[in-house]
Amino acid sequence: MSGRLDIAGLGPGDPRLWTAEVTEVLAHATEVVGYIPYVARVPDRAGLTKHASDNRVELDRATHALQMAAEGRWVVVVSSGDPGVFAMAAAVFEAVEAGPAAFRDLEINVLPGITAMLAASASAGAILGHDFCAINLSDNLKPWALIEKRLRLAIEADFACAFYNPRSKARPEGFGRALDLMQALCEPTRLITFARAVSTPDEALTTVTLGEATPEMADMRTVVLLGSSLTRRVVRNGKAPLVYTPRSVPE
Ligand code: SAH
């Protein structure tokens, strides 16, 4: 029997946001591999073995998954959101590149999922309705100077921006520095949305102006959406405002 490896996105939280393709693959695989809370989202089933591991060992996890597939098993590596966005797909391909030739013979599929920024933009309205960029604010895998440079240039180009991994217990000060930079470069009325735990029972959405924003508004379960200079808010009686970026930019 030849093995197979699927790298699947579980979306932002609610299982109804899994694609039909992901549901189908998880109904047939023999092994599921991933970070503890993501593996916990997959329902238990006879014939499915769960391999949950700590988040910091991505390359080990990828190699383990490839080894099991090379032994003939059907392995699914799960990520939250989309597996290609700051997640496991690239880690698996690094392991394929560095690993034995047998890894290159495997059937490997990447199954996309709804990434956090899309779910957050949808909950708030349509913040990513015009050009945008996504930046991971964690400096675990790149120097802080590069994050600042990308942030500065994205603001100069007037993109709406989605910031992943804004803040963690290990990096409490990074988001404060990023916010200082945004406040220095943008007008104080610029809108910023803190979208926490979108599509889970803990979902909380807060839209404020940059002048009102504080670092404590973000944590590791938050994706932060900074509007462009054209992003605006439609206020409604008794209902959440609609935050959106118009589709066109005047000449
Ligand atoms: N592959 C994931 C991103 C992993 S990086 C994806 O495509 O969504 C982890 C970061 O994603 C978190 O720090 C947070 O910024 C964001 N994130 C993931 N799930 C989220 C959710 N349900 N609500 C808000 N942000 C989320």
Side-chain angles (χ1 to χ4, degrees), residues 49-138:
T49 307
K50 291 179 162 182
H51 307 264
S53 57
D54 193 85
N55 207 12
R56 283 162 294 199
V57 289
E58 283 192 349
L59 212 59
D60 294 353
R61 185 193 296 146
T63 304
H64 180 220
L66 285 158
Q67 277 161 351
M68 288 193 291
E71 286 163 13
R73 294 187 246 182
W74 184 347
V75 184
V76 183
V77 174
V78 289
S79 283
S80 75
D82 181 273
V85 178
F86 311 132
M88 282 304 293
V92 170
F93 296 148
E94 259 181 65
V96 170
E97 201 173 17
F103 286 177
R104 297 182 189 222
D105 293 333
L106 290 168
E107 177 187 343
I108 303 180
N109 309 295
V110 182
L111 315 182
I114 297 178
T115 188
M117 68 179 175
L118 299 186
S121 177
S123 278
I127 300 175
L128 305 179
H130 192 76
D131 296 346
F132 64 90
C133 75
I135 301 179
N136 184 346
L137 289 186
S138 166

Side-chain angles (χ1 to χ4, degrees), residues 1-248:
M1 180 184 147
S2 63
R4 167 173 170 173
L5 182 73
D6 293 280
I7 311 164
L10 298 183
D14 187 337
R16 290 176 307 167
L17 299 183
W18 293 10
T19 66
E21 182 182 46
V22 167
T23 305
E24 196 180 294
V25 158
L26 285 170
H28 292 100
T30 59
E31 325 290 321
V32 59
V33 175
Y35 180 39
I36 301 157
Y38 306 154
V39 169
R41 286 202 217 159
V42 178
D44 290 323
R45 165 174 67 75
L48 179 69
T49 307
K50 291 179 162 182
H51 307 264
S53 57
D54 193 85
N55 207 12
R56 283 162 294 199
V57 289
E58 283 192 349
L59 212 59
D60 294 353
R61 185 193 296 146
T63 304
H64 180 220
L66 285 158
Q67 277 161 351
M68 288 193 291
E71 286 163 13
R73 294 187 246 182
W74 184 347
V75 184
V76 183
V77 174
V78 289
S79 283
S80 75
D82 181 273
V85 178
F86 311 132
M88 282 304 293
V92 170
F93 296 148
E94 259 181 65
V96 170
E97 201 173 17
F103 286 177
R104 297 182 189 222
D105 293 333
L106 290 168
E107 177 187 343
I108 303 180
N109 309 295
V110 182
L111 315 182
I114 297 178
T115 188
M117 68 179 175
L118 299 186
S121 177
S123 278
I127 300 175
L128 305 179
H130 192 76
D131 296 346
F132 64 90
C133 75
I135 301 179
N136 184 346
L137 289 186
S138 166
D139 61 356
N140 285 345
L141 299 171
K142 65 188 166 195
W144 180 260
L146 183 62
I147 297 176
E148 275 197 5
K149 179 179 177 185
R150 289 184 176 161
L151 178 54
R152 222 175 328 103
L153 292 172
I155 289 172
E156 187 186 325
D158 202 20
F159 284 114
C161 297
F163 301 116
Y164 284 74
N165 288 305
R167 200 153 177 262
S168 73
K169 287 198 188 81
R171 299 174 291 106
E173 72 298 326
F175 185 65
R177 287 163 70 182
L179 193 58
D180 284 346
L181 197 60
M182 292 180 231
Q183 286 168 334
L185 297 174
C186 302
E187 65 288 355
T189 52
R190 178 75 63 99
L191 295 175
I192 184 168
T193 296
F194 295 86
R196 181 169 193 277
V198 177
S199 96
T200 80
D202 303 328
E203 172 167 332
L205 241 74
T206 312
T207 298
V208 295
T209 64
L210 255 187
E212 297 162 335
T214 62
E216 296 70 36
M217 290 177 173
D219 67 5
M220 62 189 288
R221 295 185 75 192
T222 306
V223 64
V224 180
L225 300 181
L226 176 69
S228 77
S229 64
L230 294 178
T231 303
R232 59 191 79 175
R233 197 164 23 178
V234 181
V235 178
R236 302 184 297 165
N237 271 338
K239 289 197 165 67
L242 302 170
V243 188
Y244 84 103
T245 308
R247 295 186 59 211
S248 56

